[in-house]
Every structure is written in structure tokens, then in C-alpha cells.
Amino acid sequence: MDDQIILRLAAKTLIPFILVFALYVQFHGDYGPGGGFQAGVIFAAGFVLYALVFGLRRTVQVMPPWVTLACGAAGVLLYAGVGVVTMALGSEYLNYNVLAHDPEHGQHYGILLVELGVLITVFGVMLGMFYAFAGRRSLDG
Amino acid sequence: MNILGHFNYWIVIVLMMMGFYTVISRGNLVKKLIGLSLFQTSVFILYISAGKITGGTAPILIDDHGEAAEAASHVLYSNPLPHVLILTAIVVGIATTALGLSLVVRINEAYGTVEEEVIHNRDESL
Amino acid sequence: MSTVIDITLLTFLAVTALAIIRTRNLFAAVMLAGIYSLVSAGLFTALDAVDVAFTEAAVGAGISTVLFLGTLALVGWEEEKPAHQPILPLVVVVLTGGALVWGTSDLPPFGVATNPVHESPIAERYIEESGHEIGIPNIVTSVLASYRGYDTMGEATVIFTALVGVLLLLAHGPHPRRVWEGDRWSTKWDDPQLQDEDDETLEGDGPFESDSPEGGSANG
């Protein structure tokens, strides 16, 4: 799409806002609609838009495919790791109350970390799937 | 509000049957997956309809903690549990759909078609 | 007012679904499926499920459409005319639908606050106590991440597993093809000429080179 100058300019302008909006959705998820699942999808959508307008090759330079797979795994690991930490602090698996002195603060930290894990996983999975489909060549060439 | 009665449920059933019909009557595998996602969405609507309370509001506490319990006693919130279940079901749904689509892509590479009839014919001729 | 919105959106959904069934252009079907998702997101908002609406709009109308279009680019846009009349499917669907409609006569009416689902102690607990116990206003987030944290961890694992499945199916070459050789079908593996174009970036370094510094940055 090298000749579509309006499309390229619009995409270039929009993508930073899409990524920041994803972070807003992530960290505002405690107070309004939003959270890790939605933020991960929106973050991935920013990269998908880049790939659609500027081509897969350049997107892969920004965000290599192995990073998406690693993100998928790292998010689950972070989530499960929070559970292990709460167990190490002498409570049940994924009981965030022990993460801070005040149980309510503990819940805040726990939810923050867990939602971060969800964000990382969903982002990695969605973008990795897009790469898998877009990188496949059709039989006709 | 009582005129609504079971209208939501009936439409859900109509949508569900449309998806079901697409899955069992169409030979094109991509079309089958589209039908499957119609079916899926109808189940989502069924759950969310069950969680709605007429005159209720979205399950986001209006006062911050402290007065929250007091506020909760006179503000009517819709049931949050179906929302949580469906929120995760949507994301899992797209993951399984993507898995189905990648199987379709591989079938197309192996047989050169995604039409069920043609695939059956080719397998029988082997 | 909300009744009118509800009925209108549900009718839109039914009409869109009918159009999806009737069209044989798969591109149009995928686009209509995107519209269907967006309308159902609107319906979810009208039914107070704002988080669900947000997810449906992002996933159903966004990523799902992109993945379907990516598939169509690989497998073609046209659906073949059905070989025979769909009498049997119609009978099955009408019978099943009739049975389900008959079953709805037992369901409690829509939106009444005394329905069993709203009277259950678990929903009451979430609404009344999550303000104290978790301390964040969005009950859905509290339930998702804290009360039902096991569930959500399961979901995260499921979608990660789905990614691994998709990559196993699509990210590896070479793959076998059926080729018609005059009188019979034979299985052929991809010729190397197909391999050398533009997706070495995906296959050469591959997502499977695992000695990555990723873990540190994600945990930090």
C-alpha cells in the first residue's frame, strides 16, 4: 500500500493513540469497563493495523514473532507466579490478601499483576495468530 | 417491561438455530465456522439476558469503598457473574475459532478445496 | 425506552444472521459477521454488560474479522452452490428450535429482580461485599481477577494453548499437498521454490528460538 498516502498518514497518527488507549483500558479496568482481555486485544490491534498498512515484513522487524510466543507464555507464567508467591507468603494459591499488610492493598497489587499477566498473554496470542495466518502464502502464490 | 416476557429468549433461539442450520447444511468449511460463531454469540446473549435486571445498572459500584455497601443496598445492579463468564468465553471463543481456521487452511493446502463434498469425493477415490 | 432498543437490536441481529446465511460471497459473509458482532456489542451495553460489550467489540468485530479475512485470502472467496436441497437440515433445525421454544415456557420472565439467578447468595455476596473485600468499584474485574482467579488463569492457559496449536499447524513448513496425477491423487511435499519468498522472517528465525531475554522484561 505504498501509494495510499492518506491511509499511511492516518495509520501512523492513530497507532500511538491506539497503544496508549490500550494501556488506559488496562489500568482503568478497576474503575470502569476494561481490563486485561480488552487491553490485550486493543494493543494487538495496533500492531495488526501497522501490518495491514505497512506490510508484514516491517511489522516483524518491530515485533518479531518469537516475542509474541514468549509473551503468551510469560503472561501465563506471571499469573501462575502470583499464585506461587501468595503460597510462599503462607496463604492459599491466588489469595492476594497477603501481598501487602492491608488485605485491600494486597488485593489491589494482586489484581494489577494478574491483569498484567492477562494483558501480556492476550496480546501475544492475538498477534501471534495474526502472524501465523498472514505469514502463510496461498497456493496460487 | 412485561411485554418483553420471553422475547429475548426466542430471538436467541432463532439466532442459535440459524447458526446451527449454517453448520449442518453448508459444505464450505469457512461458512461452517461463521455459523458456529453465530451460534456462540447467541449463547452469549442468552447468558447476558439472564443476568439483566429491569431498571438495573451496570455492575460498577457507584460509591467507592466505605459507603459501598450502603450504596449497594439502594442501587440495583445487574448480575455480574454471567458477565465474567461470558467475558472470558468470548476470548476463548476467538482462540478456538482461530484454531479451526488454521485447520481449514491446512485442509485447503492438502486438498485444494474447502468444500466438504469435494473432499469426501476425493477421499473415496483414493 | 430500553425495551425498544432491546427489541430493535435483536431484530437487527436476526436480519444480519439471515443475510449471512443467504449470501454465497464469503467476503460479504465475514463483513456481515463483523456487523453482527458490533450490533451484539450494542445489545450487551443495553443489557448492562459493559465489559462484555467492550470485549465483543474488540474481539468479534476486530480480531475475528481480520483472522477470517486472512483465511479467505488463503482459501478463496466464493462458496459453491449446495449440491442438494437442504430439506433434512431444515427439519432438524425446526424441530430443535420448536423444542427449545417449548422449553422457554419454564424460564422465568426476562429482567425480573426475583428470578432465581439474582436471588443466589453468590451474586449477592459479589455485589454487597466486593466493595469492602476487594476495594475496587468494578465488580466484574473483582470477580474476574480475584474471586474467580482460578477460572481466569485457566482461560489464559487455554488461549495460550490455542496459540501453540495454531503455530504448530501454520508456522511450520513444509506441508503436504494432494496433487491430481491424471488418474489418481498423490501426496506431495512443498517444492523449495515456494519457500524462498517473503516469510523467512516468520519461518527462518521462527518463533521457536527459545533462548529469549523475554521473561525478564515481562516480569519487570
Side-chain angles (χ1 to χ4, degrees), chain C:
Chain C
M1 187 61 204
S2 77
T3 315
V4 177
I5 296 175
D6 191 69
I7 291 177
T8 314
L9 288 178
L10 283 170
T11 316
F12 276 176
L13 279 180
V15 172
T16 317
L18 200 64
I20 291 175
I21 292 182
R22 288 190 56 84
T23 180
R24 270 211 303 283
N25 183 340
L26 288 176
F27 180 75
V30 169
M31 284 304 160
L32 284 167
I35 293 174
Y36 179 88
S37 282
L38 207 57
V39 174
S40 60
L43 180 67
F44 291 147
T45 316
L47 295 176
D48 292 345
V50 280
D51 281 274
V52 180
F54 204 159
T55 316
E56 179 70 35
V59 171
I63 296 286
S64 159
T65 310
V66 167
L67 290 184
F68 268 109
L69 289 180
T71 309
L72 289 188
L74 295 171
V75 305
W77 310 92
E78 287 297 323
E79 184 187 359
E80 267 173 39
K81 229 183 161 96
H84 36 73
Q85 287 296 316
I87 305 290
L88 182 64
L90 265 179
V91 172
V92 169
V93 163
V94 169
L95 285 181
T96 320
L100 287 175
V101 169
W102 183 43
T104 57
S105 59
D106 273 351
L107 281 179
F110 170 77
V112 177
T114 50
N115 285 350
V117 59
H118 306 305
E119 302 255 284
S120 87
I122 195 162
E124 237 165 67
R125 164 82 180 258
Y126 289 154
I127 290 172
E128 280 166 15
E129 298 299 326
S130 76
H132 295 304
E133 289 180 343
I134 312 293
I136 60 175
N138 190 346
I139 305 176
V140 173
T141 303
S142 312
V143 180
L144 183 89
S146 188
Y147 289 112
R148 299 184 70 88
Y150 277 17
D151 248 25
T152 312
M153 193 179 81
E155 316 279 2
T157 318
V158 166
I159 61 169
F160 175 63
T161 313
L163 172 68
V164 172
V166 169
L167 288 180
L168 285 177
L169 284 167
L170 291 187
H172 260 311
H175 38 274
R177 299 167 64 178
R178 289 276 162 96
V179 183
W180 181 250
E181 289 183 334
D183 53 346
R184 64 190 186 86
W185 288 93
S186 71
T187 305
K188 281 226 170 99
W189 293 81
D190 248 11
D191 42 349
Q193 177 211 340
L194 265 178
Q195 297 281 351
D196 60 6
E197 275 178 317
D198 57 2
D199 64 346
E200 287 115 351
T201 37
L202 279 178
E203 300 194 342
D205 300 320
F208 301 103
E209 208 180 34
S210 55
D211 51 337
S212 61
E214 168 54 33
S217 66
N219 285 323

Side-chain angles (χ1 to χ4, degrees), chain A residues 5-38:
Chain A
I5 188 151
I6 294 177
L7 212 56
R8 290 162 61 87
L9 261 178
K12 229 173 203 166
T13 320
L14 274 178
I15 285 168
F17 290 105
I18 292 176
L19 299 186
V20 172
F21 180 64
L23 292 179
Y24 165 78
V25 169
Q26 164 79 15
F27 294 111
H28 204 257
D30 294 359
Y31 308 100
F37 284 104
Q38 296 92 331

Side-chain angles (χ1 to χ4, degrees), chain B residues 75-93:
Chain B
V75 177
L76 192 59
Y77 296 106
S78 288
N79 196 332
L81 190 56
H83 301 181
V84 177
L85 301 180
I86 296 311
L87 174 62
T88 48
I90 289 175
V91 180
V92 171

